[in-house]
Amino acid sequence: MEEKILIFGHKNPDTDTICSSIVKQILSEKDGKTNVKAVRLGNVNKETQFALDYVGIDAPDLIEKVEEGQKVILVDHNEFNQSADGIENAKIIGVVDHHRICNFQTTDPLYYTAKPYGCTATILYQDFIAKGIEIEKKEAILMASAIISDTLLLKSPTTTKHDEKALGELGRIAEIDINKYGLELLKAGTDLDDFSEKELINMDAKKFETKGVKCVIAQVNTVSIPDVLKRKEKLEAEIKSAITESGLNLFVLAITDILNSNSQIIALGDRTDIIEKSVKLEDNMALLEGVVSRKKQLLPMVENNI
Ligand code: MG
Ligand code: MG
Ligand code: MG
């Protein structure tokens, strides 16, 4: 049997990464390419698990690294430092992504679909339409879940008209009330009680390096910021260990209130001055009103001030 092409999203997988990997596999198979297999690079979070349970499917298999020459398709990311270990020596044959292109290169030509939408699943939705391939209920729910997650139910500034259109259409196919399902899905991801502080700061963390400054911006969703802040001391201790372990200059943890669309940030490291160019930190914290998006709001705030 021919070796499978692996499809995966970024480390610390979110709902778009997991659902888009699975949907990309379904789309490829329906398009006659059957030698593909969705996999994941980390634990499935509770929000994603809610979506998988709703559809009644298992999470993709976990892989630790990719072997040299392994054929892969990347979804929901392209930066090598967010990808599988060994990605430098894998053979990337395709990318479907909605992020900036950064720290990315290949030796061979490839399929690359980049669109500045709110979610990878919106790009996949358009691929189904463009190829005239039927969207069934299962993949409709998976894509809808990804869009709800990435756009916080279309409230994030990353949302485009394409995401809105796709979500409306997918909700109709899936026969779900988007607002009701969406709130349940997002709330499932805010149940943080079972997680250690170390797990919380790693759950949705992305690493960046700009002009030699090493940063992590991590995000947790909640319906109560004060609830999460009860663990502030322990969270700070874990952030400090992460800074030491990885030689980071700045670690920003954004605690995002999904109901009111605000984020409380905790910023630590030897370069918190970068944050203080935008907002004054008190007790290592600041409340950022209307800020919910790492990509469109937090990342530019950090990078533009380095
Ligand atoms: Mg993602
Ligand atoms: Mg995404
Ligand atoms: Mg996200």
Side-chain angles (χ1 to χ4, degrees):
M1 198 186 71
E2 202 194 336
E3 180 205 19
K4 293 263 187 196
I5 298 165
L6 300 180
I7 305 171
F8 51 84
H10 52 79
K11 282 182 177 160
N12 306 320
D14 57 15
T15 300
D16 185 26
T17 264
I18 297 290
C19 292
S20 286
S21 305
I22 298 168
V23 171
K24 177 66 179 166
Q25 177 183 336
I26 295 170
L27 176 62
S28 301
E29 287 170 346
K30 286 189 170 185
D31 200 24
K33 299 170 202 115
T34 52
N35 63 331
V36 289
K37 178 178 160 52
V39 293
R40 64 185 161 93
L41 306 181
N43 292 337
V44 170
N45 68 36
K46 286 189 184 175
E47 181 195 275
T48 310
Q49 193 59 53
F50 179 92
L52 296 177
D53 290 345
Y54 195 92
V55 180
I57 58 171
D58 290 332
D61 290 343
L62 177 72
I63 62 161
E64 302 284 338
K65 59 179 172 47
V66 288
E67 302 298 332
E68 193 174 340
Q70 168 70 51
K71 287 184 186 165
V72 303
I73 295 172
L74 308 183
V75 297
D76 196 34
H77 76 299
N78 66 80
E79 299 193 36
F80 283 3
N81 55 3
Q82 298 168 6
S83 197
D85 296 345
I87 191 67
E88 297 81 2
N89 300 314
K91 189 167 162 45
I92 303 170
I93 63 165
V95 179
V96 185
D97 189 25
H98 67 127
H99 295 90
R100 67 177 184 183
I101 300 169
C102 191
N103 301 315
F104 180 85
Q105 65 177 51
T106 61
T107 49
D108 294 298
L110 76 162
Y111 290 97
Y112 199 118
T113 312
K115 292 189 182 176
Y117 296 173
C119 182
T120 307
T122 303
I123 306 173
L124 293 174
Y125 164 80
Q126 292 186 347
D127 284 351
F128 273 92
I129 304 295
K131 288 182 190 288
I133 293 172
E134 190 200 352
I135 299 172
E136 288 172 74
K137 205 166 170 173
K138 179 171 81 174
E139 52 263 26
I141 292 168
L142 292 171
M143 285 189 274
S145 302
I147 297 170
I148 290 162
S149 170
D150 266 14
T151 66
L152 288 179
L153 248 176
L154 307 177
K155 281 197 291 189
S156 166
T158 55
T159 309
T160 67
K161 61 178 193 298
H162 306 282
D163 306 298
E164 280 175 39
K165 182 166 184 287
L167 184 56
E169 197 54 34
L170 291 166
R172 200 184 54 73
I173 297 167
E175 297 175 273
I176 50 171
D177 175 337
I178 286 298
N179 284 308
K180 185 169 171 288
Y181 173 80
L183 218 48
E184 281 173 24
L185 174 78
L186 292 175
K187 278 194 177 157
T190 65
D191 177 10
L192 306 174
D193 292 353
D194 296 349
F195 295 103
S196 69
E197 286 72 21
K198 187 173 179 153
E199 286 168 326
L200 283 188
I201 67 159
N202 283 306
M203 197 184 292
D204 181 10
K206 284 192 181 164
K207 212 181 254 183
F208 306 95
E209 186 168 346
T210 303
K211 296 182 199 159
V213 180
K214 285 187 183 174
C215 308
V216 166
I217 304 179
Q219 191 167 26
V220 290
N221 288 345
T222 182
V223 288
S224 165
I225 290 173
D227 235 35
V228 181
L229 288 181
K230 283 183 195 150
R231 305 166 73 172
K232 179 168 181 275
E233 245 172 70
K234 286 181 179 167
L235 285 168
E236 287 191 350
E238 283 305 335
I239 292 171
K240 283 176 188 160
S241 324
I243 289 171
T244 312
E245 260 168 49
S246 307
L248 302 171
N249 301 104
L250 179 64
F251 193 116
V252 179
L253 173 66
I255 303 159
T256 299
D257 179 337
I258 56 163
L259 300 181
N260 299 304
S261 304
N262 296 321
S263 292
Q264 179 90 41
I265 57 164
I266 300 176
L268 291 169
D270 59 20
R271 291 302 311 273
T272 50
D273 63 294
I274 294 165
I275 296 294
E276 295 222 274
K277 283 179 187 164
S278 302
V279 63
K280 191 170 157 31
L281 293 171
E282 262 176 69
D283 215 5
N284 307 322
M285 291 197 302
L287 180 68
L288 307 179
E289 305 251 5
V291 171
V292 296
S293 167
R294 170 170 42 208
K295 183 162 68 174
K296 277 234 164 155
Q297 297 171 310
L298 292 167
L299 178 64
M301 179 179 135
V302 172
E303 286 204 315
N304 296 340
N305 287 329
I306 289 177

